[in-house]
Amino acid sequence: MQIHRLLLVCDTINSEGGLPAPRPVTRVAACAVIANPLAGVARDDLGELVPFGEELGELLVRKAVAALPNAAVAYGKAAIVGLDGDIEHAAAILHPRMGKPMRAAIGGGKAIIPSNVKIAAAGTAIDVPLGNKDDVWVFDHIDTLTVAVPSAPRPSEIVVIVALSDGGRPRPRIDKDGARVVQV
């Protein structure tokens, strides 16, 4: 695997909607821009991309954990494939092997890791979905982190992203039934 660039995005939210957050929430995205060895190649066997998921999962989650001030409670992953690639190139990296090292680094993770993929030109943003690491029904942790890597992905690259959060939305006030939740 050829890593062209690494980028870390750290977003700490202290207030929302004009009101202070009960505590700051930090969301981190660790991004790798990698060469896509299958760019421009039409074939069904994507096996050479599968090991990238484990390698990138270990590398990126380690960087994301180091940037969080508190333990991770929510996670997500995403990829942007350059224009000469295929959407399945992202699936081969994100799905078969990336989750295990992510879960190991944050001490568990019973819930599915939400993900998003797209094919796009350099500089395109992607919304990385976040969800609670242990319970998909913790609605306060359902969120997104928008990430863009300047000048990437080039047509023969893939941007791979691991995102973690040490909290849910900064001022959650709605439960899953739409009823008002106790004020924060």
Side-chain angles (χ1 to χ4, degrees):
M1 174 177 53
Q2 194 177 50
I3 298 176
H4 294 170
R5 297 170 60 192
L6 292 170
L7 174 74
L8 190 67
V9 177
C10 184
D11 178 28
T12 300
I13 305 163
N14 295 304
S15 66
E16 182 69 31
L19 297 170
R23 73 168 187 82
V25 173
T26 299
R27 303 176 304 174
V28 174
C31 314
V33 179
I34 65 169
N36 182 353
L38 300 182
V41 176
R43 73 175 195 208
D44 287 331
D45 181 3
L46 306 179
E48 76 181 89
L49 296 174
V50 172
F52 293 4
E54 185 172 9
E55 294 172 44
L56 290 169
E58 290 173 1
L59 172 68
L60 297 176
V61 78
R62 189 172 60 246
K63 291 187 174 297
V65 165
L68 276 181
N70 301 297
V73 298
Y75 54 18
K77 58 189 177 180
I80 307 170
V81 179
L83 298 176
D84 288 344
D86 181 325
I87 201 76
E88 287 301 306
H89 297 169
I93 294 170
L94 294 185
H95 299 311
R97 295 193 188 161
M98 185 173 269
K100 186 174 182 180
M102 288 178 66
R103 287 179 173 92
I106 62 171
K110 297 174 187 171
I112 191 168
I113 303 170
S115 65
N116 191 11
V117 298
K118 66 182 354 177
I119 295 176
T124 298
I126 190 164
D127 289 331
V128 184
L130 295 168
N132 182 277
K133 69 182 185 78
D134 293 312
D135 184 354
V136 70
W137 297 105
V138 177
F139 278 50
D140 293 354
H141 291 179
I142 297 172
D143 201 1
T144 59
L145 176 59
T146 302
V147 177
V149 177
S151 305
R154 294 182 181 185
S156 61
E157 294 177 329
I158 302 173
V159 174
V160 180
I161 305 160
V162 166
L164 300 176
S165 177
D166 68 1
R169 295 186 312 277
R171 293 193 54 79
R173 295 175 299 270
I174 301 295
D175 67 11
K176 66 182 179 181
D177 297 320
R180 188 166 179 83
V181 175
V182 177
Q183 292 203 351
V184 292

